[in-house]
Amino acid sequence: MKFPETLSPERREPIETAAAQLQSEYGEGFLGMVLSGSAGRGLETERSDLDVLVVVSPELVDRPLTRNTELELLPVTLLHLETLSTFGDDQWGYRWSYAWAPTLLDKTDGRIQQAVERQTRLSPEESLSLLEHRLDAWINLAYRSLKSARDGNSLAARMDAVEAMSPFLDVVFALDGQVRPYSKYLTWSLHHHPLPSWPTDVLLETIEQYLAGNPDAIRQSLRRVQRSELPLVQETFDDWSAEQYDALRHD
């Protein structure tokens, strides 16, 4: 077993015990383990469960596994790990649960590790698909927020800016080929796996300013994304009229 350094010996012990039991009961059907959740990223608290993905052969995946107050074993097949959900799928919301999750045990000659790493990244095709869904949605919400700020409706401006946060982050991470992290792990992800296109401190401050409905921060984020050389980005911005650009760019 290979544990992350952040996991204490006391928390490793129940995982090692479970692995021994699984090996005894499942034999060759027990393929490996991946540590997900807060513990897999060094963020666990005294109230955190140990969420362990147990990779098993298909005929064993529906067999119930042990759960106690500190260890939750979640059975998955190797095919499940190697199957990529796309934006809009029912499983898309779970995809980041695999991101940067350490593989504790891999009896498949590296296939488990490779599958976890592949879940973390968006291919160029996946990024493009997500941007097709989210880029214009973000620009539209930013436009509404800026119009409300211009007209003196600060409440509406802040509400639309907050609503714009979700597609904004989807766009930012997709442009750098990453799955957007859950809010709980956003700061951790940016500090440990920073985005090439956005300095971490700049992006975190931009998020804070979005939550305050700051028009200048919204305009700066629009300009920054518009500098992308991706044709889809240019085409999407070009679809906005000159009059609309006035609201996006000026007070």
Side-chain angles (χ1 to χ4, degrees), residues 14 18 32-33 58 65-66 83 120 151 164-165 170 177 183 199 208 210 225-226 228 231 245-246 248:
M33 297 175 115
L65 298 179
T66 301
T83 301
T120 301
D151 297 339
M165 178 67 65
D170 282 338
S183 299
E208 293 284 358
Y210 257 74
V225 169
Q226 192 176 13
S228 169
Y245 265 132
D246 286 342
L248 291 173

Side-chain angles (χ1 to χ4, degrees), residues 107-123:
K107 297 163 63 179
T108 65
D109 294 326
R111 286 179 64 185
I112 293 175
Q113 178 66 30
Q114 291 172 10
V116 171
E117 291 176 356
R118 180 63 185 86
Q119 291 278 1
T120 301
R121 302 286 185 180
L122 295 175
S123 69

Side-chain angles (χ1 to χ4, degrees), residues 127-129 131-132 135 229-237:
S127 294
L128 187 63
S129 175
L131 289 168
E132 288 174 343
L135 180 58
E229 297 180 356
L230 193 67
L232 174 64
V233 173
Q234 300 305 316
E235 293 166 4
T236 303
F237 274 94

Side-chain angles (χ1 to χ4, degrees), residues 12 15 19 42 53 59-60 72 143 155 200 218 224 239 242:
R12 298 178 187 189
I15 299 176
L53 304 177
E59 67 273 12
L60 300 174
E72 183 168 9
Y143 172 64
L155 176 60
T200 294
I218 294 173
R224 193 179 191 105
D239 285 341

Side-chain angles (χ1 to χ4, degrees), residues 139-161:
I139 297 174
N140 183 54
L141 286 165
Y143 172 64
R144 286 162 51 184
S145 178
L146 291 170
K147 282 203 306 179
S148 293
R150 179 195 62 192
D151 297 339
N153 190 340
S154 60
L155 176 60
R158 293 196 305 273
M159 291 177 66
D160 283 330

